[in-house]
Amino acid sequence: MKKVAVLLLGSMVLTGCGSDESSDSRASSTYIGEIESVNAHADSMTVNAMALSLSSAKIELNGHQVSSSELESGMQVDVEYDDGIAYEVDIDPEIVGIVSEVTANTIKVNDQVLNTAKDFTVNNFKGKRVMLFGYADQNGTWTINSVYEIGSIPVQDLYEGKITSTPTLSSFNIGTMNVNYSNADIDSDDLDKLKQGVWVEVEGSYDEISKVFTAYDVDVEDDLDLANAEVEGYVTALNNDKTLMTLNGRTDVVITENTRFEDGIKDRLKVGSRVDVDLINNAGQLQASEIEFD
């Protein structure tokens, strides 16, 4: 995959790919965040100032196994690792589709106009199939930090966000995106959770004529899936006494008297802060054991 654009501040988005247990028995830690650099000669990458060897890594993009040559600085990844060795790397875009329009501060993909953190007009994206990395605010408005052409990898269209309508037996809305899930693969547990306000990721095919996203797979995100992972994110909401914050418009995290702060103090925490957070599951509640300011 040719690298076509990147904002080095990157897309620090929390995803549902983290889990309570590593799926690779060799890995003891999970990190979700931006790739800072890739060293093709050494077959390694750096995340959160950690150099990780890729020689033993299984690397996937939405279920398709790819080589380490597909990794680029600025991509959002979910990494399982131990002692400087990455064992599983999932490239995790937020949106996949065809670009129909680009301006100095927006990009239109699957008829969704998304704000961008930089000007992508020089990248000749129009008509190209791309994957987008970014974060959402409390209102579900996306800011796209980096964009890459997908090339020949057969990745389905993808979109995610909060359900903004009451789901029927066959459809729901994510903002202005109408999703038909009547023939989608969806777990029975996820089907029971499907309601207005939950965060979902849908994979399928968007039709520009009907303006309908036909979902082949629907995944309802569970905040507790992020327990025991270290994640990067932007604070998009914070209560007055700073005991509850929301990351990237989607994940609520409790801050307790036992939460440790690195490279700053609690008073520094505010909406817009970019942070690294160690998350734990405490009696069914997602809590921050440590918050580090970036």
Side-chain angles (χ1 to χ4, degrees), residues 235 238 242 255 265-270 273 275 293:
V235 178
L238 184 67
K242 301 186 178 183
I255 303 167
I265 59 175
K266 185 176 181 179
D267 287 346
R268 182 182 164 188
L269 195 66
K270 62 182 180 180
S273 293
V275 291
F293 295 94

Side-chain angles (χ1 to χ4, degrees), residues 5-6 9 17 24 52 76 81 93 95 113 122-123 168 171 178 183 201 209 219 226-227 234-235 264 280 292:
V6 60
L9 286 179
C17 296
D24 191 301
L52 297 175
Q76 172 80 18
Y81 69 96
I95 298 163
V113 178
V122 299
N123 297 102
T168 70
S171 68
N178 179 250
N183 294 312
E201 179 183 87
I209 297 176
D219 181 28
L226 294 170
Y234 289 97
V235 178
I280 59 172
E292 180 180 356

Side-chain angles (χ1 to χ4, degrees), residues 8-203:
L8 290 180
L9 286 179
S11 57
M12 275 63 72
V13 176
L14 300 180
T15 73
C17 296
S19 61
D20 287 341
E21 294 182 3
S22 169
S23 58
D24 191 301
S25 60
R26 298 169 296 176
S28 62
S29 301
T30 300
Y31 180 80
I32 301 171
E34 172 198 52
I35 297 176
E36 296 171 356
S37 65
V38 177
N39 187 329
H41 178 72
D43 198 20
S44 67
M45 68 177 180
T46 299
V47 294
N48 196 29
M50 297 182 296
L52 297 175
S53 169
L54 298 168
S55 60
S56 300
K58 177 183 177 183
I59 304 170
E60 290 189 346
L61 169 59
N62 287 22
H64 298 276
Q65 193 161 344
V66 299
S67 72
S68 59
S69 63
E70 304 292 344
L71 298 174
E72 300 283 358
S73 299
M75 284 183 172
Q76 172 80 18
V77 291
D78 183 333
V79 186
E80 296 182 5
Y81 69 96
D82 184 63
D83 196 24
I85 300 173
Y87 292 107
E88 291 196 10
V89 180
D90 289 325
I91 304 171
D92 194 30
E94 278 68 59
I95 298 163
V96 172
I98 302 292
V99 178
S100 57
E101 182 180 304
V102 184
T103 71
N105 52 22
T106 65
I107 187 168
K108 189 175 183 180
V109 176
N110 296 340
D111 282 325
Q112 301 297 303
V113 178
L114 310 160
N115 296 330
T116 57
K118 64 173 288 185
D119 185 352
F120 291 114
T121 56
V122 299
N123 297 102
N124 193 30
F125 283 136
K126 190 172 182 179
K128 303 289 180 61
R129 189 167 181 75
V130 300
M131 55 181 170
L132 310 180
F133 298 85
Y135 66 96
D137 65 13
Q138 289 300 100
N139 299 314
T141 301
W142 285 97
T143 296
I144 301 303
N145 290 327
S146 53
V147 183
Y148 301 85
E149 287 185 42
I150 288 180
S152 60
I153 303 172
V155 178
Q156 295 177 340
D157 291 342
L158 183 146
Y159 198 71
E160 60 180 270
K162 286 184 178 179
I163 294 179
T164 53
S165 65
T166 301
T168 70
L169 294 176
S170 61
S171 68
F172 55 79
N173 286 354
I174 303 174
T176 60
M177 176 74 79
N178 179 250
V179 178
N180 184 318
Y181 72 98
S182 58
N183 294 312
D185 181 15
I186 178 169
D187 292 339
S188 58
D189 287 346
D190 280 355
L191 190 60
D192 291 340
K193 298 174 185 175
L194 207 62
K195 62 181 180 179
Q196 187 171 352
V198 302
W199 190 281
V200 294
E201 179 183 87
V202 294
E203 292 184 67

Side-chain angles (χ1 to χ4, degrees), residues 232-244:
E232 290 181 314
Y234 289 97
V235 178
T236 53
L238 184 67
N239 66 356
N240 289 334
D241 57 1
K242 301 186 178 183
T243 57
L244 179 67

